[in-house]
Each structure stands twice: as C-alpha cells, then as structure tokens.
Amino acid sequence: MDKLNIVLYDDRTTFVPRETVRGRLEWALETNPRYLELSLFWYTSGKGTRDVGVVGTAKFDDPGAHGTKDFSFTLPDGPYSFSGKLISLIWAVELTCHPGSETVRREITVSPTGREIVLGEVASARNPLESILGGRK
Amino acid sequence: MRARDNPFSVDRVHAIRFRPLDITFDEILLRLRELNYRTAITGPDGSGKTTLLEDLQPILQRKGLKTRMVFVNDTSPFDAPTCRRLLSELNRDEILLLDGADLIRRAFWSLLKRHTITHASGLVITSHKPGLLPTLIECATSATLLTEIVTALRPEGPGISLDLLDTLYKRHNGNLRDCLRELYDLYAQDA
C-alpha cells in the first residue's frame, strides 16, 4: 500500500508569522513516482466560496519508491489562522505524489499568539479596548 | 461552532458527488454517447446539474476524451470577449462542458452551438429548462436524497429529525443547496 508521511520537527504544529516550518517527508510507494510535490498553503472553510493561497512549493523529481527528505518553508507575515462562525482560515502542508492521487496533509496554526484567532472573542469581552491593551490604563 | 467544524461547510458539501435517481452512471454515459456528446443536463436550482457536469469531466478524461469546462454565472458572465476567446481556443478534439448555458445571450448561444458542430467533438451543457439541446437527464431531488446527503455529511452525533429535513425540503422547494446552507446556519448558531 502506498504511504506518504509528513513529520514536523518536534511535533510542532503552531508557528508565529515569519517563522520557519521544518520537517521530514517519508514515502514508501509501490511504484516509482515521477515526482513528489510539497506545498505550504492556506485555505478557507465555511459557508462561502473556498479561497486558497499557495505560499510555497517544492518539487522532488524522480524520488524513487522509498525515501525521506528534509524540508523547510519560511512563513509569511500572514494571514493568521482564525475561525468564526462563517469562515475559518486553515494553514496546511501537503505532500502529493505524481502520477497518482496519494496525498497527505498536516494542518498547522500560524498566529502571533500561538493559538488560532477566534473571531468574536474581542466583541464579547466586557471592555473591548481593555482586552486589546491588556489592561493598561 | 467554528466554521471549520461545521459539517455543512462548502468544502464538505462539495465532497458529496452526484447521486443519480432512477438511473445509473453507466446509463447516463451510454445516453451521452448516443446523443453524440451534444446534450443538456436540465433541472431546477440545487438539483445537482453542475455537480453531475463536474463528475462527467474525469469520467470522460479517463476514457481518453479531452474536455474543456466553462462556468457561466453572475461572477463569470459570458460576454463578447469571453465568447471570442472560447471560439478561438476551442479544439476539434475537445468536448465543451458548459455550465449555465441558459445565462448566455441568445446571439452568443447560437454562435457557440453552431461553431461546436464542426470545431469541437461535443457540447454538454447545464440549463434550468429543456430546449437548448436534447436532454441527457433531468435532475431531480427528493426528501430522501436530502436525508442521505445529510447522513453522509454527519455520520456521528445526534441525528437531525426527519421532520426538520422534510420541512427544509418543502421550504426550499427541493433546492438541496439551500437546504444545506440553512443547516449550516443552524449548526453555526447552535454551538
């Protein structure tokens, strides 16, 4: 059975903007693929039309049926990972085998706070200005 | 509930493919061949016309047929430049898959219909009403189909009552897309 895997260093799935995502690709396929393609991208999920932004790609030609390969991508300033009731923005690293339909995806969070931004948190705070300023007078 | 967790998000709904009623895919393909790939998928809004057209593309490609997909809608109108570009780019060995043919102005449609007789190997369209080309299939929905799709979208968790689905189906006049949008809103508000 074909197997693709993405291992993120230190099992990290949370990153701040401009940080580098490092990891290792592992593959064990029944036949030699022509190439493997790794993408770093974000996409939206929710009620409306899906939007996608590809931030980086790496192509590995003639990788052989089995192997491993280290990779790294530097994240841009944004957009941040966020979720509301109508839309979520999700970052992911995805490895695809060509030809074939084998794909593996690892979701990551990109945020200056280290957590997905949840829309509505500021609005529901007792004093929105206070929550932005962190209690400063 | 976060949008990404909503079982009725657009990307999850898009993963549900066309489910023919009272006909098999093989029968649809046989009829497509008999009609020489010049035919129309008809039906009301939210009945699966576009989904079927999208599903036909990889099936035809696997059979070695070349296809070109064109979507016509409010955000992608079929204006004069679009028409000119399509007519100049279309190859004889391509089947044109055209979604929203009834949104094309009559003059452009006549031109396109005539042009594709000799400059394409087929023209498969979607249209709300029959008459533009011989009908391949008239898409239809049922409350049972809505229940099947909802079950496929949320196999776990508490069930949605059949009464609610029946009410939604009637309220939206069988438009499954609108039923699923309302279910999205219900889930978004609930949590």
Side-chain angles (χ1 to χ4, degrees), chain B residues 75-146:
Chain B
T75 51
S76 302
F78 198 85
D79 51 16
T82 307
C83 185
R84 268 198 303 274
R85 194 169 55 247
L86 180 60
L87 296 187
S88 67
E89 288 178 354
L90 202 56
N91 292 316
R92 267 177 216 282
D93 58 353
E94 283 180 325
I95 297 173
L96 178 60
L97 305 175
L98 179 68
D99 183 50
D102 49 352
L103 299 175
I104 297 177
R105 278 168 51 192
R106 186 182 289 267
F108 293 151
W109 167 248
S110 299
L111 195 63
L112 187 64
K113 189 178 169 185
R114 217 170 35 243
H115 184 85
T116 51
I117 292 172
T118 50
H119 291 79
S121 55
L123 174 62
V124 182
I125 64 167
T126 68
S127 169
H128 291 95
K129 290 182 178 171
L132 294 176
L133 287 172
T135 299
L136 171 69
I137 179 173
E138 187 174 348
C139 293
T141 62
S142 67
T144 307
L145 179 60
L146 174 62

